[in-house]
Amino acid sequence: MGRKDSSGCCCCCEWLCGCLFSCILSCIFQILCTILVIAALAAFIFWLILRPNEVKFHVTDASLTQFNFTTNNTLHYNLALNVSIRNPNKRIGFYYDTIEANANYQGKRFDTETLTPFYQGHKNTTVVNAVFQGQQLVLLGTDEVSQFDSEKTDGVFGISLKLNLRIRPKLGWIKVWTLKPKVKCDLNVPLKSNGTSLTAFEATKCSYDL
């Protein structure tokens, strides 16, 4: 009796396995594409409903009553800032969990203050106060000292405020992911002497520091 040829059976099995594998891959691909389309459509509808707008930051007032740089590289300062935060959104509120305010002069940080956390509702403007007072070792080069002396003569100092934030948007009763934006405010702050200054401080719009 002759042996049965099993090669045809093996080829048939391989062909069936290949077809089954291809079908499974095709189904997975179609499912993933469908999920992506649904997610994109849901995100678009979500955006149409909420129309999120950018929160706006302004420094509306600044009071600088001391800003002296001594020969031992120590900066003595007394600076108070009012920062206006405007939420223009109709349906989105924000939890400000962390507000770290950094005061900088010529790119060098001389003080850091942590402000009080708060919740900001819809279409709301909140004013926060940042007060920097004390003394700090600040190493300035020759050109930077020359710029300090020039600004001291003019009575106006270029000071930068940087805000490092941790905020959570609130949509109805849902609190979503945490955002960590950075905000920068480049200010020209007049020095006050005996309660008066040569020029008035001009409200300044801040930008997002990318």
Side-chain angles (χ1 to χ4, degrees):
M1 296 179 63
R3 291 183 304 169
K4 293 183 179 179
D5 188 359
S6 61
S7 61
C9 181
C10 291
C11 291
C12 183
C13 289
E14 290 176 358
W15 179 80
L16 287 174
C17 290
C19 287
L20 181 61
F21 183 70
S22 297
C23 289
I24 293 174
L25 286 181
S26 178
C27 289
I28 293 174
F29 180 76
Q30 290 178 7
I31 291 172
L32 289 176
C33 287
T34 302
I35 292 174
L36 288 175
V37 170
I38 292 174
L41 183 60
F44 179 68
I45 295 174
F46 179 79
W47 180 84
L48 284 178
I49 294 173
L50 295 178
R51 295 291 181 93
N53 293 304
E54 187 178 83
V55 175
K56 296 176 174 60
F57 294 79
H58 292 81
V59 176
T60 55
D61 191 26
S63 175
L64 183 65
T65 56
Q66 184 182 25
F67 208 69
N68 300 323
F69 188 69
T70 62
T71 54
N72 61 350
N73 297 320
T74 300
L75 180 66
H76 298 260
Y77 54 89
N78 191 342
L79 171 67
L81 302 174
N82 289 344
V83 183
S84 171
I85 305 174
R86 175 63 180 172
N87 175 17
N89 294 283
K90 294 181 179 179
R91 299 179 177 87
I92 305 175
F94 293 96
Y95 285 94
Y96 289 80
D97 295 326
T98 302
I99 310 171
E100 181 188 87
N102 299 304
N104 302 267
Y105 179 69
Q106 297 196 47
K108 296 176 174 58
R109 184 175 61 185
F110 61 85
D111 199 355
T112 297
E113 297 293 334
T114 300
L115 308 185
T116 304
F118 66 94
Y119 171 74
Q120 185 176 44
H122 315 146
K123 298 188 73 67
N124 178 269
T125 299
T126 303
V127 177
V128 297
N129 307 109
V131 178
F132 307 94
Q133 184 176 9
Q135 60 185 46
Q136 178 65 39
L137 179 67
V138 178
L139 299 178
L140 298 180
T142 303
D143 293 340
E144 294 168 328
V145 171
S146 178
Q147 181 177 338
F148 177 89
D149 292 336
S150 176
E151 292 180 351
K152 184 176 181 180
T153 300
D154 295 336
V156 179
F157 290 94
I159 297 174
S160 173
L161 172 69
K162 293 186 178 181
L163 301 174
N164 296 325
L165 308 172
R166 289 176 61 91
I167 63 177
R168 288 174 297 146
K170 180 184 177 185
L171 314 175
W173 53 271
I174 302 175
K175 301 173 188 177
V176 294
W177 57 91
T178 297
L179 304 176
K180 299 178 181 179
K182 296 183 179 181
V183 177
K184 183 180 181 181
C185 314
D186 293 322
L187 311 172
N188 292 315
V189 186
L191 178 65
K192 289 184 178 181
S193 179
N194 297 323
T196 61
S197 57
L198 296 177
T199 60
F201 174 77
E202 294 184 5
T204 304
K205 182 180 180 180
C206 305
S207 60
Y208 285 92
D209 191 13
L210 303 178

